[in-house]
Amino acid sequence: MGDFWFEFVDITQIVGDGLLFGATYALIGIGFSLIFGAMGKLNMTYAAASLAGAYVGLAAFTFVDAPALAVFLVSALASGLIGFVVYVACFRFIPINNHLAALMASVGALFFVDEIIIHTTDGSPLTFPAMFDYVMLELGPYGVRGDLLFVFAVCIISTVGLLYVLYRSRLGLATRAVSQQDVAARLCGIDVHRTNAVTFVLAGLLGGIAGAMTAAAVGVLSPLITIPLTVKGLIVTVIGGLGSIPGAIAAGLLVGGLENVFLYFRGVNERDMYVLLLLFVFLVFRPHGIFGSAINRD
Amino acid sequence: MAYYLGLVQLIGIHTLLGLSAYILMLTGQLSLGQAGFFAIGAYSAGILTVIFQLPILPALFIGALIAAFFAFLVGFPALRVKGLMLVVATIAFSEFVRLFFFNLSWRVPRGDIVVGPDSTNGFREIRYFVANGWSAWEITAFVWVFVVLVMALLWWSDRSRTGSVLRAVGEDELAAQSVGVNLTAVKVAAMTAGGFIAGIGGGLYAHTATYVDHLTFTVLLATFAIAYPILGGLSSVFGTLVAVIFIQGVLVEGLRFLGDWRNIVFGLMIIAAMNLKPSGLFDAPTARILKRAIGLDERGKTGA
Amino acid sequence: MLELRGLSKHFGGVKALDGLDLTVDEGEIFGLIGPNGSGKSTTINVICGVYGQTAGTVRFRGELMDGQPPHRRLRAGIARTFQNIRLFPNLTVWQNLWVAQNSHQDIARQGFLPRWLGTTRQTRKEIAGLLELADLGHKGDDLAANLAFGEQRRLEFARAAAARPKLLLLDEPAAGMSRVEIDDLSRRIRRVRESGVTVLLVEHVMELVMGVTERIAVLNFGNRIAFGTPSEVQHNQAVQEAYLGSSSPEPRPAGRKS
């Protein structure tokens, strides 16, 4: 009985840690979903741009010794800027109904960003500074890592901020209008290109925070994590239902929680395989995701 | 000389990879999973010649069958998703395969050494060609026999009713269904054929390279696979061949002086190409002009 | 021949079809008319298996069609055309017909390999015949996309005929046609019927429907409001009201294609 109790505590602890960390996946998923919602397209560069933002934040820390909060801010701004550039380079001038070309272009941008990172860092992983001292909150039998709690809190705050912008500001109104009926929105005098650009920047800001968060929680930044983070972000987006923000949040937490369980039972090398299997399970049994509508999307 | 023969082999192998994506694209399915089938073919054929000591031909054939079998399995869930969702699903499949081989360790003693896939250290000693004393010329010819066979078969079926049915599905699924085309059968068959062709390519790759590891089969390779037919256009298999020669022969070789910076230029070139020619460099009008120029206009031959 | 019983199709809260009963007899030309959004196209889509019905049954030559995918229904003998022409634009005219040879008879006669990797003399002769009938004899090698509008309509008609149907569903085939073209179309429809094919014609253009059909059913709000010969229907009170909208029982659902 005692063993069982400890096992139970262990596993709930693991799930809890995973859920906290899953908040970063949720942010990445929200970013993909925002852009998909606005344009019906996938921006494959997104996760790479988020990590690139984190690299810029790291540079700010290394060279000018910026304080923790500034590091996140710089990361967010840099990633937002990259988001804008990616929009102009890969989406703005490609015909709106040519999904394939935009997708390929953003894959090209993904390699470009990835290679830039590899070149400036010589391809070796860099240590990302722990933003705070090691804190452990005791909660009965559980311990909560202070940094993970902080990651979680920042993610919640940025999500709430995003939702506020989307649902309470004129800008957000335009974004939502374009995502629902872009022709009608255009007829109402909304500048679709500007709105799309703003969506990319917003998603980029969010991604920069997520990138810095991931790096802060893991303690290391490496070009090796761009593709896995891209894939994980896509998985979260699909499991949540393409274009659904609440879906992305739920799926991010789900993936974070389960991933830690897989890690506990099967080790780090096999962990991601099971996360991918999770995607296939969803594709077979619930192809429209957790909150996806039953509309067939092309 | 050996260096250039190696390049010719690589062009042949990448043509197979591109053709595996080409046949899928005819049916309107865009797959970023061809690297996965390529990997399955490579590891399977390698294991068969190294661990089971099979000759190369049966090893390639069985490896391709295994890849085709997995493509067949992937084909069914892939039916339920379209467009961008299919892209995501196939990327995930490809990554799954890569991680599987990343974890696969199957070491068997052979004489005084231990051979077989060694998870993160990769799969070395796929030395069938060397062990049997094949010259570089012979290996190159061997590779191209497969390339020519596959191209001839695809070219032939493209001109027959098969090609029309595949293209009909790619153009309008609803209309194709309504004239009696069995969508499930056609799409799964295209996926399976694509898996088989990628599997042959993978098997040949493993044996010409003598060494593979999971980093060979990344999303980058899958992107190359679809980049060839996109660049070469879907009007005929020769477009894919031309695109492979252009990318692997001219670009990769021509940009060698850039050294490490080559890949950066690559990313930029993909972006530029998609902005300037969103429907492929050799899109339908270009392809028609090219074909007329070399006297190979095949549109409009009615009976095959 | 074709028997619809209590057929319903709901899209969310919208009842596109609501308990439709309809019987089409062998060898007749049956007209289905109704205002926009009355459920005409939905009927065709349900008969072909593009949509599954919410309730009710579709019987074709006594056989239950429920749950059969579209290609099976075609092989059983149900072919169709589309309201907004859906050819394969980048295939040639010839290839468009080639793809459509999917009747049981063709599959059995051609043999697997010649069917997929070659052609038989018989196949070529038949496609040539179809082209001739559609007055497209000289256009076999043109891309379908490059045909004129009227030619595209004729090609789609021929493509449906290529499947050797027993029942042909025509979804507004006269839309956008001139007077002369409509006359030509009605001749084609009669000729198809003479070759033993039953025709279900969904149409807005009254001169075609009234000229060519023997019996007509009128739909409104997913149900049948009138039934009879063309002249009976023309003088039916309910039909006139449905078209003029004088006493609609409920507001017409907006923004939905019929």
Side-chain angles (χ1 to χ4, degrees), chain B residues 156-157 159-162 164-165 167-168 171-172 174-182 288 299-300 302-304, chain C residues 50 70-71 74-75 80 82 86 88-91 94-95 98-102 115-118 124 141 143 159:
Chain B
W156 176 261
S157 40
R159 287 162 54 88
S160 66
R161 187 166 171 278
T162 311
S164 295
V165 169
R167 286 166 193 274
E171 292 202 353
D172 192 334
L174 178 59
Q177 230 178 358
S178 301
V179 299
V181 173
N182 183 346
R288 228 167 292 146
R299 267 255 181 261
T302 42
Chain C
V50 174
H71 69 270
L74 181 113
R75 278 169 207 183
R80 72 174 293 183
F82 290 89
R86 298 183 80 138
F88 307 116
N90 292 312
L91 296 187
W94 209 89
Q95 288 169 328
W98 205 10
V99 168
Q101 290 193 314
N102 288 309
R115 176 169 164 75
W116 290 98
L117 292 177
R124 280 198 293 271
D141 293 344
L143 291 188
R159 190 180 65 179

Side-chain angles (χ1 to χ4, degrees), chain B residues 5 26-27 31 38 55 62 83 89 105 125 161 170 185 200 241 262 293 304:
Chain B
L5 284 179
L26 287 186
T27 64
S31 155
F38 192 76
I62 297 171
S105 186
E125 304 109 13
R161 187 166 171 278
I200 297 180
L241 176 65
R262 197 174 56 188

